Amino acid sequence: FVLLSLMILREQWIRAKYERQEFIHIEKQEPYSAGYREGFLWKRGRDNGQFLSRKFILSEREGALKYFNKQDAKEPKAIMRIQTLNATFQPAKIGNPCGLQITYLRDNSTRNIFVYHEDSKEMVDWFTAIRAARFNYQKVAFPGANDEDLVPRLTRNFMKEGYMEKTGPRHTEGFKKRWFTMDDRRLMYFKDPLDAYARGEVFIGSKENSYTVVSGLPPSIQGYHWKYGITIETPDRKFLFACETEAEQKDWIAAFQRVVNRPMMPQEYAVEAHFKHKP
């Protein structure tokens, strides 16, 4: 999906430069830094899976992206704070070449919204507007930071996604196939890749804080169908997963190790504390 998203962005960059000549005629450029954008996008329904036209408003002044279920609605259906907003192109998952997955935190849980537009320029403009809003937010939140340090924090692609099997906390339940998404230190699992909310989320800390990842499962474990196991040990419990192939097992372990080997930043301790106090 990273390659497909790069193709969408590259196509619009070429069209902006050569077809629309935005690099020569500055007045033709989209006012991404204006701090406000509104329009209609096709949004996937949380329960029925149907894509319906919904009005979206991005407002830096309000610090949020909002969408409305009806054109004349006064109150938004959802308010997504720019502080936790992320957007990543997901054409294969959504089934549309311009599919965009928007995520944000609601009560410290990740909420997914899947949208698209028939016009790739419109979708890239929304993506760029979200990045611009995130950039201006970061400038205020981290006043001493250089622009080069802020750019990687604007939006991010997921580290890895795919199916694994998992068992419950007692390790006696049968393993169930779930769709997993690794979003930085958040490992989320879903029954379906297009679910609005995860069935569960696991915080993956650093090795200095007693988080470890090893290949294989404890010898007493039963009930799995896929034989390539992974054990993640946290300060609170062990999480057991199984992959269908050895290649998938190695890819997942490599993704987990990249996170575990990275020291935790001060703000990540607060995130870890939220996970420990979840009901």
Side-chain angles (χ1 to χ4, degrees), residues 5-246:
S5 66
L6 287 174
M7 287 170 60
I8 295 168
L9 295 168
R10 186 178 292 119
E11 178 201 344
Q12 286 307 312
W13 186 90
I14 292 170
R15 287 183 181 274
K17 184 174 183 180
Y18 298 106
E19 189 177 279
R20 299 191 294 270
Q21 296 190 324
E22 293 179 13
F23 289 39
I24 301 172
H25 304 287
I26 305 299
E27 71 278 3
K28 292 184 177 182
Q29 294 183 6
E30 284 284 329
Y32 299 120
S33 58
Y36 184 88
R37 183 178 185 87
E38 71 172 78
F40 287 85
L41 299 172
W42 292 98
K43 176 194 168 290
R44 187 179 190 273
R46 184 184 69 182
D47 300 319
N48 60 18
Q50 289 183 324
F51 280 89
L52 298 172
S53 181
R54 294 289 182 252
K55 182 180 179 180
F56 282 78
I57 295 179
L58 176 66
S59 172
E60 280 187 33
R61 184 177 60 82
E62 297 180 35
L65 172 67
K66 303 179 290 185
Y67 83 86
F68 300 79
N69 265 0
K70 297 180 180 178
Q71 290 191 31
D72 57 351
K74 291 183 172 60
E75 295 299 321
K77 179 67 175 176
I79 299 175
M80 302 161 254
R81 294 294 168 195
I82 290 174
Q83 179 182 359
T84 65
L85 198 62
N86 186 47
T88 176
F89 280 102
Q90 293 274 17
K93 184 195 286 188
I94 295 173
N96 186 281
C98 304
L100 190 74
Q101 181 173 349
I102 297 172
T103 63
Y104 67 101
L105 292 185
R106 181 175 173 179
D107 300 326
N108 198 45
S109 293
T110 303
R111 166 79 158 96
N112 295 322
I113 287 182
F114 303 97
V115 298
Y116 75 87
H117 196 281
E118 298 93 338
D119 183 357
S120 59
K121 179 184 182 301
E122 181 73 10
M123 205 67 259
V124 169
D125 286 345
W126 271 103
F127 176 71
T128 308
I130 290 171
R131 285 176 59 84
R134 286 275 304 157
F135 179 73
N136 291 332
Y137 165 80
Q138 299 276 359
K139 293 275 282 186
V140 175
F142 305 99
N146 297 320
D147 290 357
E148 295 78 15
D149 297 326
L150 296 179
V151 169
R153 305 165 67 120
L154 302 185
T155 54
R156 62 195 178 275
N157 291 321
F158 300 135
M159 296 181 69
K160 181 166 173 59
E161 288 192 289
Y163 284 106
M164 288 193 292
E165 291 183 334
K166 68 168 290 293
T167 186
R170 293 190 298 274
H171 300 167
T172 55
E173 307 92 335
F175 279 66
K176 294 181 179 179
K177 181 181 174 182
R178 293 288 182 257
W179 176 266
F180 283 82
T181 297
M182 187 73 185
D183 184 10
D184 198 39
R185 291 197 184 273
R186 286 176 181 263
L187 176 65
M188 301 169 280
Y189 56 91
F190 306 84
K191 191 171 183 179
D192 184 273
L194 294 173
D195 282 347
Y197 291 99
R199 289 296 181 97
E201 299 189 35
V202 181
F203 181 84
I204 309 292
S206 67
K207 59 186 178 184
E208 290 86 359
N209 298 87
S210 303
Y211 290 83
T212 60
V213 181
V214 296
S215 173
L217 299 171
S220 60
I221 297 300
Q222 297 178 339
Y224 53 89
H225 305 94
W226 293 346
K227 60 182 180 180
Y228 300 98
I230 299 173
T231 300
I232 296 180
E233 189 158 359
T234 76
D236 299 320
R237 58 168 279 200
K238 288 182 179 179
F239 292 89
L240 308 182
F241 310 109
C243 301
E244 187 174 17
T245 67
E246 187 177 7

